[in-house]
Amino acid sequence: MTKRNGGKPLSEVIKAVNPILRGFSQYFRIANANREFEKIASWLRRRLRSVQLKLWKTPQRLHRRLKQMGYKPPFKSIKMNSWRNSQSPLANYALPNKWFDSSGLVNLGHVKTGYVFSAKLS
């Protein structure tokens, strides 16, 4: 669903991934898996940052986004097609976690897990 060579805008990728995330979270929420859900959510945000960097193609577009958000140059130049650079501070500044929440991405870190068993005990 998150092919980096798919060429789809990030909003379409998020729309395609959301039903899968909702189903996954509903299926596994009976387990006590808060930490695992947070790990999956952070990996997914990193993957989506990687997709967006690939779509921007050049560091100049990333720099333009950073300037729009109020950050002052000079910025480092990074490879836009590298998985490693999707975790760089520049990518995190350009696409913060709040941005993903406002764009409608289902956040697995906010799903309450293990509540079925705790409800039976009380």
Side-chain angles (χ1 to χ4, degrees):
M1 299 302 295
T2 60
K3 285 184 175 181
R4 290 186 332 136
N5 62 354
K8 295 179 184 175
L10 198 57
S11 60
E12 287 184 24
V13 174
I14 289 173
K15 284 180 187 176
V17 168
N18 273 343
I20 295 167
L21 292 176
R22 272 191 222 101
F24 178 84
S25 67
Q26 294 299 312
Y27 186 80
F28 287 106
R29 72 179 177 181
I30 62 170
N32 194 8
N34 287 334
R35 225 176 289 134
E36 296 303 318
F37 274 21
E38 289 173 8
K39 287 180 188 177
I40 292 169
S42 67
W43 180 88
L44 182 63
R45 285 190 302 267
R46 182 177 177 187
R47 180 68 178 181
L48 292 175
R49 283 185 188 106
S50 175
V51 168
Q52 184 61 51
L53 288 177
K54 181 84 172 183
L55 289 172
W56 278 337
K57 295 181 183 177
T58 62
Q60 288 79 18
R61 291 188 181 174
L62 171 65
H63 297 167
R64 183 183 328 151
R65 169 76 174 156
L66 290 169
K67 289 175 191 173
Q68 288 172 351
M69 296 189 70
Y71 293 101
K72 303 292 180 197
F75 303 115
K76 288 189 329 184
S77 181
I78 62 173
K79 288 175 63 176
M80 301 301 279
N81 58 358
S82 171
W83 167 254
R84 186 176 359 161
N85 287 332
S86 63
Q87 197 177 18
S88 74
L90 294 177
N92 285 318
Y93 295 152
L95 300 169
N97 293 349
K98 291 179 188 177
W99 184 86
F100 287 110
D101 291 339
S102 66
S103 65
L105 180 67
V106 173
N107 191 347
L108 292 178
H110 294 154
V111 175
K112 293 183 181 179
T113 60
Y115 73 91
V116 173
F117 296 116
S118 64
K120 288 181 180 178
L121 295 176
S122 56

